[in-house]
């Protein structure tokens, strides 16, 4: 029998075919994705601007898993841990800020060093057995330009392999030194995959987005599929290119680092949208935009344009979510060129789900001694 979750067969969709609607509406599928996708991927958790000095921390999430990222007070290194106390599991830190030499749990005051070691336990003698090794659970952490990623899976590929050509593109643009221009957040009634797919859908632009249709030179996009993502590079309409710049070089790069980061790099800015999964039918968007110093004067204008475009996307994504609740709706299709990245993302999704829940799950076989 083919593996399935809540009636959703775990199989790579045939070319041009989409995942079934229930893959977007099922709470059981959403739960299964937490382990198969979010716990196995490198996920964006913060930016370097959140961790400016020794002791800075950010509380973040990888899917539903709370993590904390910290700049070690002694060594200045970035570290990440599960944001959960080893005593009874209370979340340790909230929001972002600077923490003392020790991270103290607000519940029973266990405390941990910045290396995660357990350093203080009130009434320690009252605990049976050896609890000395009950330090914070470490999480992998790494950076790409101004972005910080973390990964719960010790067996996942290295971050550099995960993010493909993105570091080279950010490096070439010099984006690591750009200033933070604006930050936005949204909450939507839709499954997280729908927003990621919409952001990788080149087909809707001319029907939904007035400004983007104007900005992009028609039919100029070239798409690259990567092991854990996909991106398209398109030319900017010459009318938007300052006269002193070569219009042939004015390009915009957009796509996805699987599972949930949408970085958009243009000559003027790096803007990303992170799609945080909240429930099967709810997501949050976290948006930040960094700008090239020469274009900082256009910041307000860019923000207005982003907000207008985001409102247009949100409307169609929530509309799609409502439609996908229709019982009896067969799986949809996608165009092999204009929606190529959607097909790729759905293949990555199915591969990850099959690795975890399919009949040849190597982890399960290893446990069974096969
Ligand atoms: S849960 Fe943290 S000290 Fe008890
Ligand atoms: Fe869009």
């Amino acid at each position: 029998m083919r593996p399935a979750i809540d009636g959703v067969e775990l199989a790579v969709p045939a070319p041009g075919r989409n995942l079934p609607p229930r893959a977007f509406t099922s709470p059981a599928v959403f739960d299964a994705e937490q382990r198969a996708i979010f716990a196995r991927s490198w996920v964006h958790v913060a930016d370097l601007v959140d961790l400016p000095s020794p002791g800075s921390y950010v509380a973040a999430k990888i899917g539903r898993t709370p993590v904390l990222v910290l700049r070690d007070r002694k060594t200045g290194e970035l570290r990440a841990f599960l944001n959960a106390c080893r005593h009874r599991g209370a979340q340790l830190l909230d929001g972002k800020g600077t923490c003392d030499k020790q991270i103290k749990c607000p519940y029973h005051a266990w405390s941990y060093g910045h290396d995660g070691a357990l350093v203080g336990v009130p009434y320690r003698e009252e605990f049976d057995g050896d609890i000395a090794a009950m330090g914070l659970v470490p999480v992998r952490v790494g950076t790409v330009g101004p972005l910080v990623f973390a990964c719960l899976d010790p067996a996942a590929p290295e971050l550099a392999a995960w993010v493909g050509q993105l570091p080279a593109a950010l490096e070439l643009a010099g984006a690591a030194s750009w200033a933070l221009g604006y930050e936005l957040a949204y909450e939507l009634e839709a499954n997280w995959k729908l927003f990621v797919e919409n952001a990788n859908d080149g087909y809707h632009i001319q029907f939904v987005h007035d400004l983007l249709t104007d900005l992009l030179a028609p039919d100029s996009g070239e798409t690259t599929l990567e092991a854990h993502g996909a991106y398209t590079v398109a030319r900017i309409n010459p009318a938007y290119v300052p006269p002193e710049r070569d219009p042939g070089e004015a390009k915009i790069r957009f796509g996805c680092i699987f599972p949930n980061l949408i970085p958009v790099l243009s000559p003027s800015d790096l803007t990303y949208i992170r799609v945080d999964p909240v429930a099967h039918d709810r997501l949050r968007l976290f948006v930040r935009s960094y700008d090239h110093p020469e274009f900082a004067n256009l910041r307000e204008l860019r923000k207005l344009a982003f907000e207008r475009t985001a409102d247009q996307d949100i409307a169609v994504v929530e509309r799609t979510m409502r439609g996908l609740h229709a019982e009896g709706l067969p799986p949809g299709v996608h165009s092999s060129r204009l929606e190529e990245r959607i097909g790729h993302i759905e293949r990555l999704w199915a591969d990850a789900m099959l690795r975890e829940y399919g009949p040849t799950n190597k982890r399960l076989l290893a446990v069974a001694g096969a």
Side-chain angles (χ1 to χ4, degrees), residues 195 198-199 201 204-205 208-209 212 309-310 312-314 316:
F195 199 93
N198 173 71
D201 166 351
H204 75 289
I205 293 174
V208 173
H209 298 305
L212 272 189
T309 303
Q312 293 163 342
D313 279 324
I314 288 167
V316 290

Side-chain angles (χ1 to χ4, degrees), residues 85-90 92 105-110 112:
C85 179
R86 289 295 304 277
H87 174 225
R88 295 248 309 284
L92 293 165
C105 179
Y107 199 170
H108 313 89
W110 281 31
Y112 303 88

Side-chain angles (χ1 to χ4, degrees), residues 55-69:
S56 305
Y57 76 87
V58 188
K61 284 207 172 160
I62 295 181
R64 272 191 309 218
T65 298
V67 296
L68 65 91
V69 187

Side-chain angles (χ1 to χ4, degrees), residues 183-267:
E183 184 177 305
L184 294 163
Y186 298 87
E187 187 148 342
L188 275 67
E189 289 188 13
N191 181 270
W192 68 276
K193 296 190 291 302
L194 282 185
F195 199 93
V196 173
E197 293 192 356
N198 173 71
N200 284 281
D201 166 351
Y203 189 19
H204 75 289
I205 293 174
Q206 58 183 305
F207 312 113
V208 173
H209 298 305
D210 43 0
L211 299 178
L212 272 189
T213 303
D214 244 26
L215 179 71
L216 300 176
D219 286 323
S220 67
E222 282 184 34
T223 293
T224 304
L225 305 181
E226 297 185 319
H228 305 282
Y231 65 91
T232 296
V233 177
R235 283 205 318 279
I236 294 175
N237 184 340
Y240 285 80
V241 181
E244 65 278 14
R245 299 228 162 189
D246 175 359
E249 287 307 304
K251 292 180 178 161
I252 182 159
R253 181 197 197 275
F254 42 92
C256 158
I257 301 292
F258 188 78
N260 65 336
L261 188 71
I262 316 291
V264 182
L265 179 64
S266 85

